[in-house]
Amino acid sequence: MNNTTEMYDVVIVGAGASGLLCALECARTQKKVLVLEKAPLPGRKILVSGNGRCNFTNRYVSPEKYRADSTFIHSLLKRFSFEDCLAYFDKLGMLYTEEAQGRVFPLTNKATAVTDVLKAALAETHATLLCNQEVVRVKKGRFFTVFTQNGQSFLTKNVVLACGSCAYPQVSGSQRGYELAKSLGHTIIQPRPALSGLVLKENFSRLTGIRAYVRLSADVTPSAQAEGEIIFTNYGINGPAALNISAAVSRALDNGNVSVHICFLPQLTDAENFFSQRMKRFFHRKPKDFFAGLLHESITNLLIDFKGLRKNKSMGEQSPTAVKQTFETVVNWPGTVTSLRGWNEAMIAIGGVNLREINYNTLESRCCPHLFITGELLDADGISGGFNLHFAWASGFCAAQAITKE
Ligand SMILES: Cc1cc2nc3c(=O)[nH]c(=O)nc-3n(C[C@H](O)[C@H](O)[C@H](O)COP(=O)(O)OP(=O)(O)OC[C@H]3O[C@@H](n4cnc5c(N)ncnc54)[C@H](O)[C@@H]3O)c2cc1C
């Protein structure tokens, strides 16, 4: 079937977070809007986000939470702030609740609340959403012709590439967005997995399943550090702190393994003094009892073996060097990241369309007028906590503002 006799104001490629919000905003004005989605359902990644609960924004959205030109993020957040995001979903009819660290979730605790209100609002407009329509080519002439895999084509004045990244291929992630952007003149910064577990050379499998609140840092430039929970796994570490340094580690892995340091007592301001005082009080205790109340028992056992402390001797009877090294290790346990868990576990991709080729105010391509690029397809990424979805909404919103002003 060929639909090129009908002219759309905008064809949006991808009904994910940024595409749906962009479509909704474009359709609020009398623009003729078509959304093409390759999957049978829209918003599949939204549905798996936040463990199915969808952490859709964060009170602390600010340029520092992103790895992208801060002028760009600042420009987006000025027009679609945290408060704007809450007001937006409120207007769509969704209640929400704020949890620790400013993370916001739907009150129903289900990501379906987010996709349902977006779908319902879109259905109330005159926009057309077609699923099972993978866009395989976009041709630029006087207008754009958008071709889908099943042989359809659509004529449009504007195109929005809202295809997302290649992360999580089991739920809609694909390379197609990069290919389409490239075919229209863009350069792609090589995508790499991020917000994914860190594979360590050292064997921590004895600690599998154990959680610890730590400060985790990586020897990378610029420095990367996160305080929060880690979860030991059979391959290394996962959990919020590991995820939040994973993007920086992912970039640095190109130059070889990356050293990381785990501080198990991030609350301490002067660890040396703390341990010297503790030695005065508890020098008579055996190592296991000395660390009781400080560390998880399994971490203590690994520490004792790692540093060669004698289990049946008191701390006062151990070699002073071994004691000193043990205390240092508690606040600076070394690890070596050899890789990140792959695309099937990475929540996002870093890299993507080069931001230098994008107009920061409009999200319009500088290579191809009337082409707009939004969301994770761009080379911008946030830490975990609702920042990536906020970026997707904000970029979709700003692109729609530019399109509807035309
Ligand atoms: C497991 C997991 C958990 C996450 N949890 C959170 C969280 O709690 N909070 C948070 O902020 N972020 C989270 N994220 C990240 C967040 O989901 C993404 O950053 C966000 O969805 C990106 O929005 P987008 O619009 O760019 O792309 P997507 O939401 O990925 O949408 C892109 C859409 O385009 C479609 N598409 C692609 N190519 C084509 C084509 N050629 N033709 C037609 N359609 C196409 C896809 O099928 C998809 O529906 C999570 C991600 C994952 C994988």
Side-chain angles (χ1 to χ4, degrees):
M1 195 173 110
N2 193 322
N3 287 346
T4 45
T5 47
E6 197 171 3
M7 171 70 86
Y8 288 91
D9 288 311
V10 55
V11 168
I12 297 169
V13 186
S18 66
L20 284 171
L21 199 134
C22 185
L24 202 49
E25 281 310 289
C26 287
R28 283 191 196 284
T29 61
Q30 293 313 304
K31 296 280 176 195
K32 200 165 158 51
V33 180
L34 173 67
V35 189
L36 298 173
E37 167 56 52
K38 70 171 179 166
L41 288 170
R44 287 183 66 208
K45 230 180 230 183
I46 302 173
L47 290 173
V48 298
S49 70
N51 279 327
R53 294 176 60 218
C54 187
N55 174 197
F56 69 96
T57 185
N58 192 296
R59 171 172 297 281
Y60 304 110
V61 277
S62 62
E64 304 82 66
K65 300 292 192 292
Y66 294 90
R67 207 267 334 144
D69 186 343
S70 64
T71 320
F72 173 55
I73 303 292
H74 184 75
S75 156
L76 287 190
L77 298 182
K78 217 169 61 192
R79 281 171 293 153
F80 197 83
S81 64
F82 169 67
E83 289 76 17
D84 294 332
C85 187
L86 294 188
Y88 198 89
F89 281 94
D90 194 39
K91 207 168 67 185
L92 295 185
M94 191 185 85
L95 298 180
Y96 44 78
T97 175
E98 185 175 332
E99 296 189 3
Q101 288 124 30
R103 294 166 187 244
V104 185
F105 296 85
L107 193 66
T108 61
N109 255 328
K110 295 224 174 333
T112 44
V114 177
T115 48
D116 285 352
V117 291
L118 286 166
K119 282 188 293 182
L122 194 65
E124 285 160 11
T125 69
H126 56 270
T128 307
L129 167 63
L130 297 180
C131 290
N132 295 311
Q133 292 277 4
E134 181 175 7
V135 173
V136 288
R137 190 173 153 226
V138 176
K139 194 178 102 195
K140 174 87 166 113
R142 183 158 167 246
F143 300 110
F144 291 95
T145 314
V146 177
F147 299 89
T148 65
Q149 195 164 39
N150 49 18
Q152 296 210 40
S153 55
F154 303 91
L155 202 58
T156 175
K157 293 176 193 160
N158 297 287
V159 168
V160 179
L161 291 183
C163 311
S165 75
C166 56
Y168 237 65
Q170 65 275 41
V171 179
S172 80
S174 90
Q175 296 282 343
R176 187 73 80 185
Y178 308 122
E179 290 162 14
L180 292 172
K182 224 167 145 181
S183 75
L184 293 160
H186 283 280
T187 48
I188 307 298
I189 312 288
Q190 194 206 328
R192 295 182 177 87
L195 295 192
S196 171
L198 309 179
V199 179
L200 298 180
K201 193 161 91 186
E202 295 76 14
N203 187 351
F204 282 101
S205 59
R206 270 169 71 178
L207 302 184
T208 296
I210 287 167
R211 295 161 184 264
Y213 188 91
V214 304
R215 183 166 55 246
L216 182 65
S217 49
D219 290 348
V220 295
T221 315
S223 66
Q225 186 171 293
E227 198 172 306
E229 201 170 60
I230 56 170
I231 303 162
F232 288 94
T233 65
N234 58 358
Y235 60 77
I237 49 174
N238 207 325
L243 297 183
N244 279 338
I245 65 161
S246 64
V249 170
S250 190
R251 271 179 211 101
L253 278 168
D254 266 1
N255 302 321
N257 293 347
V258 174
S259 298
V260 290
H261 309 271
I262 307 170
C263 170
F264 284 100
L265 296 173
Q267 307 84 346
L268 296 184
T269 46
D270 184 349
E272 206 179 317
N273 183 44
F274 172 84
F275 281 119
S276 119
Q277 297 302 321
R278 195 169 174 92
M279 267 303 264
K280 281 184 196 151
R281 285 171 67 201
F282 300 127
F283 66 92
H284 57 281
R285 287 186 177 176
K286 288 180 184 148
K288 199 165 168 184
D289 295 333
F290 182 86
F291 288 105
L294 283 187
L295 298 176
H296 189 290
E297 192 187 343
S298 303
I299 297 175
T300 299
N301 288 337
L302 185 64
L303 178 71
I304 292 168
D305 292 347
F306 182 37
K307 287 292 134 191
L309 296 182
R310 287 168 299 168
K311 290 178 187 158
N312 293 322
K313 300 268 180 206
S314 72
M315 285 298 278
E317 292 171 297
Q318 310 282 340
S319 108
T321 315
V323 170
K324 186 169 178 283
Q325 284 180 358
T326 303
F327 294 159
E328 283 167 1
T329 304
V330 172
V331 289
N332 193 1
W333 196 312
T336 316
V337 183
T338 54
S339 64
L340 248 66
R341 296 295 276 179
W343 289 117
N344 279 351
E345 290 179 35
M347 292 185 211
I348 61 161
I350 54 173
V353 173
N354 194 335
L355 288 184
R356 289 206 193 122
E357 300 162 356
I358 299 294
N359 180 323
Y360 285 4
N361 293 317
T362 59
L363 278 298
E364 188 173 3
S365 160
R366 292 184 190 281
C367 310
C368 178
H370 299 283
L371 172 72
F372 296 79
I373 304 182
T374 60
E376 211 180 297
L377 187 53
L378 293 166
D379 177 28
D381 53 274
I383 60 170
S384 87
F387 300 100
N388 287 295
L389 276 170
H390 188 97
F391 176 78
W393 313 127
S395 59
F397 182 84
C398 292
Q401 271 193 332
I403 294 164
T404 52
K405 267 188 195 137
E406 272 179 3

